[in-house]
Amino acid sequence: MAKRPPHSAGPFVKPALVPTARPATQPAPAGKPDPADLYAALDLGTNSCRMLIAQPKGSQFHVVDSFSKSVQLGAGLESTGKLSRNSMARTVGALKICQKKLRHHEVKRMRLVATEACRRATNSEEFLKLVTRETGLDLEIIKPEEEARFAVISCAPLVSVNTEQLLVVDIGGGSTELVWIDLSRVPKVDRPRAIMRLHTGFDSKNSEFPAAKVVDWISVPLGVATLRDQFNDVDDDGARFALMSWFFEENLAEFTPYIDADQVRAGFQIVGTSGTVTTVAASHLGLKRYDRNKVDGLRMTSDQIDHVIQSYLHMGPEGRRTDPRIGKDRHALIMSGAAILQALLRVWPTDRLSVADRGLREGLLYAQMSSDGVLEEGPY
């Protein structure tokens, strides 16, 4: 499915540049996969470098090891169009740790991907060669559709059997992916499984099973880092937040479901996956120490989300910097993420948002394991 570029509300949004695709990363060994094999998924985004190493377990997987670090790879990209030397050095340092973990666990089946920052940077090929030279890892720049698809399938276990219209939102550092899925023709009991089957692609015409229909999807080149950078010159905290939220909504105008947003209510579910969404959830729960088990799958009302966002505004930059619920790696980005979240809830009024502490990495793992046939069929 070809996707048109998002609407631009001003001349200062740079179009995404997608370099020539690199060969598939570390192809899986030939032969039948062993269910005991370990799999890895690495997501190098605009702000963070994150990796999971996991083993198939029933219809899910068990995480053996993980890594997450804020590397700010896209710092300065908005103004220069290039990845800076300092950003590349920080990222290579993080990737060396990932390489040691992969070697320690003897992982042979993996996908190591890079997203928006590397799609846009004019020197991304130079950076990928540096990574290979310094770490031995071959990163693969994936297209926006793939990024959106992996985010969607990672959220399959959180899809309610009563959901007929599903919006999955992945707020990243450099871009935000939105995917609208029609599940109305899929039997209730099969809806989460139908989402999982999208790992083969958004075009479901040839499926022999009841298919989830992707109505539309969009990759907006605005994430928590890039949206913040657009309005760095606005001094007033409240005005900057309002402008960011308005500007993000302007970039949704080309998304088909935007037109009929007021008619959506019954059987509608939004699933949000990102550090922004999980941070808002942790703040709502009053968690001073993050607990994934309490956050993943939580359903928040729009009033609860708005209450948290208003509390962030009331704190101001200094208050957010010292709030333990937000964390030192998130405080500078939380308001741009909250602006995106507020815009979404303004466009599609809903009583609930499902919080997903999962995303691209989990989707990459599900896709690899599903393709290898090592996941059991069953409820998700």
Side-chain angles (χ1 to χ4, degrees):
M1 179 191 298
K3 185 61 196 172
R4 58 188 175 277
H7 168 70
S8 171
F12 44 113
V13 176
K14 300 185 182 73
L17 300 174
V18 182
T20 305
R22 293 172 66 82
T25 303
Q26 277 94 1
K32 187 176 180 180
D34 185 338
D37 282 346
L38 293 181
Y39 290 73
L42 185 146
D43 166 19
L44 177 59
T46 302
N47 191 58
S48 302
C49 175
R50 300 185 297 173
M51 184 179 72
L52 286 178
I53 298 174
Q55 186 176 49
K57 185 177 182 181
S59 61
Q60 301 283 321
F61 54 75
H62 168 68
V63 175
V64 174
D65 202 350
S66 64
F67 175 80
S68 181
K69 186 174 181 61
S70 174
V71 293
Q72 299 177 51
L73 178 61
L77 177 62
E78 197 68 25
S79 58
T80 67
K82 292 184 176 183
L83 304 174
S84 72
R85 291 190 178 277
N86 287 341
S87 296
M88 291 193 288
R90 283 194 302 270
T91 304
V92 167
L95 290 170
K96 285 181 178 178
I97 298 173
C98 293
Q99 191 270 343
K100 289 178 182 177
K101 287 178 176 288
L102 292 168
R103 185 172 56 193
H104 172 74
H105 291 287
E106 299 181 345
V107 181
K108 296 181 176 64
R109 299 179 181 273
M110 64 187 78
R111 284 283 304 269
L112 315 177
V113 306
T115 56
E116 186 67 10
C118 287
R119 284 196 293 260
R120 296 180 68 180
T122 57
N123 61 338
S124 59
E125 286 297 318
E126 173 192 332
F127 169 65
L128 295 188
K129 289 177 181 176
L130 172 67
V131 169
T132 301
R133 187 167 64 248
E134 294 291 325
T135 70
L137 300 178
D138 291 324
L139 296 184
E140 171 189 4
I141 300 175
I142 59 172
K143 295 180 179 179
E145 181 181 348
E146 272 196 285
E147 185 174 0
R149 180 155 38 96
F150 292 133
V152 166
I153 64 175
S154 75
C155 296
L158 303 182
V159 176
S160 167
V161 295
N162 295 317
T163 297
E164 296 196 347
Q165 302 294 324
L166 173 69
L167 175 62
V168 177
V169 181
D170 182 12
I171 305 172
S175 65
T176 298
E177 281 66 47
L178 292 86
V179 185
W180 192 287
I181 302 167
D182 183 351
L183 294 165
S184 59
R185 296 186 180 182
V186 181
K188 286 188 174 184
V189 70
D190 200 43
R191 286 174 183 174
R193 196 174 294 113
I195 298 293
M196 188 68 75
R197 292 190 191 109
L198 291 173
H199 77 85
T200 59
F202 281 161
D203 186 351
S204 56
K205 291 179 182 178
N206 299 322
S207 175
E208 59 184 291
F209 302 101
K213 179 185 177 183
V214 176
V215 177
D216 200 6
W217 73 275
I218 191 170
S219 181
V220 181
L222 293 169
V224 294
T226 47
L227 183 59
R228 176 201 60 186
D229 292 347
Q230 291 278 6
F231 295 93
N232 256 347
D233 58 340
V234 180
D235 293 330
D236 184 81
D237 194 45
R240 182 170 57 250
F241 173 77
L243 286 168
M244 288 190 295
S245 187
W246 165 82
F247 185 64
F248 185 82
E249 184 179 341
E250 284 288 302
N251 278 264
L252 296 177
E254 296 294 321
F255 187 48
T256 301
Y258 182 93
I259 301 168
D260 301 319
D262 291 338
Q263 301 175 24
V264 177
R265 180 68 72 167
F268 175 56
Q269 182 181 5
I270 297 183
V271 178
T273 168
S274 70
T276 294
V277 177
T278 56
T279 300
V280 168
S283 293
H284 166 66
L285 294 172
L287 301 180
K288 293 184 178 179
R289 191 178 188 86
Y290 186 78
D291 186 341
R292 183 184 189 275
N293 293 327
K294 293 180 179 179
V295 170
D296 187 48
L298 178 71
R299 301 192 76 181
M300 293 185 67
T301 68
S302 53
D303 286 344
Q304 289 169 336
I305 294 170
D306 185 64
H307 178 76
V308 172
I309 291 175
Q310 293 304 316
S311 74
Y312 289 163
L313 283 168
H314 182 71
M315 289 178 197
E318 185 57 37
R320 295 192 295 267
R321 188 176 296 113
T322 57
D323 191 311
R325 302 170 304 166
I326 297 175
K328 62 180 181 179
D329 289 339
R330 180 63 49 180
H331 74 86
L333 302 168
I334 189 59
M335 294 316 297
S336 50
I340 293 172
L341 192 54
Q342 187 189 67
L344 297 172
L345 296 178
R346 185 169 60 243
V347 174
W348 293 284
T350 180
D351 297 330
R352 293 284 189 277
L353 177 137
S354 299
V355 178
D357 186 350
R358 53 186 72 211
L360 180 54
R361 293 175 303 166
E362 288 81 1
L364 288 164
L365 288 172
Y366 278 130
Q368 291 179 84
M369 293 176 185
S370 294
S371 295
D372 284 354
V374 294
L375 290 179
E376 294 178 7
E377 279 288 330
Y380 294 98

